[in-house]
Amino acid sequence: MPRRLKVATIVPFLHIGGDENRLLAYLAARDADRFDHLVISGCGASREMDDLWGPIRHRFAALDVPLIDLGLPYGFQRLRDASAADRQLGKMQGFARFVQRTARLLREREIDVVDGRGDTGTVVAALAAKLAGTKAVVSTNYFPQVKHAGPRSPAWHLFRGVYGLVDAVVCDSQTCLDAMRRWMLFAPPGYCIPNGIEPPRATRPAQEVAAELGIPAGATVIGQIARIQPYKGQELLLDAASRIMAEVPEAFLLLCGYPSYNQEGLDHRDRLAQMIAASGMGDRIRLVPYPGPVGDVWPLVDIHAHPTLLDSSPIALLEGMSVGKPAVTTRVGGIHELILDGETGIVLPRSDAGLLSEALLRLLRQPGEAARLGRNAQARYRAGYTSRVMAGRIEDLFEQVHASPRGRVAQAA
């Protein structure tokens, strides 16, 4: 029997989020007869951070995949009261330790392929692999966050250049893959591997969860299940809600998620709470996290709203498709590759609260149309977006990269 290929995935931390859910879906569907997988997390477990950003480690523990914490402190946690210079120095020191400790693990475990997830995971994977002599490096990314920052910082240039050390880059949409490769200084071969999941399953009765979240019986729920951060479009949805609530008395808005991993996310959550209080609609809008399985929340949603301003191919849209929810979303990134306008959902221009309210009102007033979109969405999910389909494509790429003489494989057609 051939030796299993040893793969190490590098992440900075583990909390509830789209990237973590993508990784979970892959690991749950992996071929354990062909691959020996390991996850390396820079930051260790933290109750304080779990309370802020959502616990997810227990789900990794259930997969029987070794998880190694390097024990690095959270920069957000340790440096929040420090000066700008001290924060920058602390981040650089933490990053250097992350690379060094990861390289040591790669050597000790004799890793064949390193999978760097996101910006930080990719940079650490690429540099650590060079130090350890690991041949093959794959970056799984969706859009480098740093390229959307203001000034061209040293980190921005580092991220653009480090892809020259990567053997293949994976993205979940062709649109964002093409944009990323244009942005990189030395673009590796690119592969579009759409996300795949298993339908989220409820573990509690819907009525019990609705009561816990404060959703009244008989409400028609417009729901967004997403991280609370500015580019996810929650403010736009609140702007649209005023007209919707005035015209449909039974309509209810649920914004369910944890804030993003920084002060910006916490500030955004507080700003949304203030907007809800000022709107006078606090009895018909809920802004809440949910620490349990997301499958407990989906049965409460009648119409899925995801008016994001910046995304590639959100996991939340795929989850909604898998459970037959009609989606109203925006044409950004690769969303139009996943949601077919008029067939499996409604795809709008970004940043237009008027069009958003009209689309949501249309589905509220035409439940038959909403049901048709939901059925079509579920059929599209079943045809090509399961976790096993995604895992098989990723595993094939791991084997190709490892078998290539220089690690790097040919550009995908």
Side-chain angles (χ1 to χ4, degrees), residues 4-5 7 26 31-37 395 398-399:
R4 291 190 299 169
L5 207 62
V7 180
Y26 162 67
D31 186 344
D33 292 332
R34 293 163 57 203
F35 295 89
D36 183 4
H37 216 102
E395 289 168 344
F398 285 162
E399 289 185 327

Side-chain angles (χ1 to χ4, degrees), residues 75 78-79 84-97:
R78 183 185 60 177
L79 303 171
D86 286 343
R87 284 198 299 271
Q88 189 63 31
L89 178 60
K91 289 178 181 178
M92 292 172 63
Q93 292 172 336
F95 176 77
R97 288 194 293 271

Side-chain angles (χ1 to χ4, degrees), residues 12-13 16-20 22 117-123 139-160 162-163 169 171-172 176 179-181 183-184 227-232 259-262 264-265 308-314:
F13 41 67
I16 291 177
D19 288 341
E20 291 84 351
R22 291 179 182 97
R117 296 270 166 162
D119 292 336
T120 302
T122 291
V123 176
S139 168
T140 305
N141 210 341
Y142 308 95
F143 49 86
Q145 296 274 11
V146 72
K147 76 176 180 178
H148 302 287
R152 299 300 189 244
S153 65
W156 186 85
H157 292 288
L158 172 63
F159 277 83
R160 286 193 73 200
V162 79
Y163 284 91
V169 61
C171 188
D172 57 2
C176 286
M180 282 200 303
R181 295 186 75 250
W183 170 78
M184 297 168 186
R227 187 157 292 284
I228 304 300
Q229 52 193 359
Y231 72 75
K232 287 297 185 180
S260 56
Y261 310 129
N262 48 37
E264 181 186 44
T308 181
L309 310 178
L310 175 69
D311 251 314
S312 179
S313 186

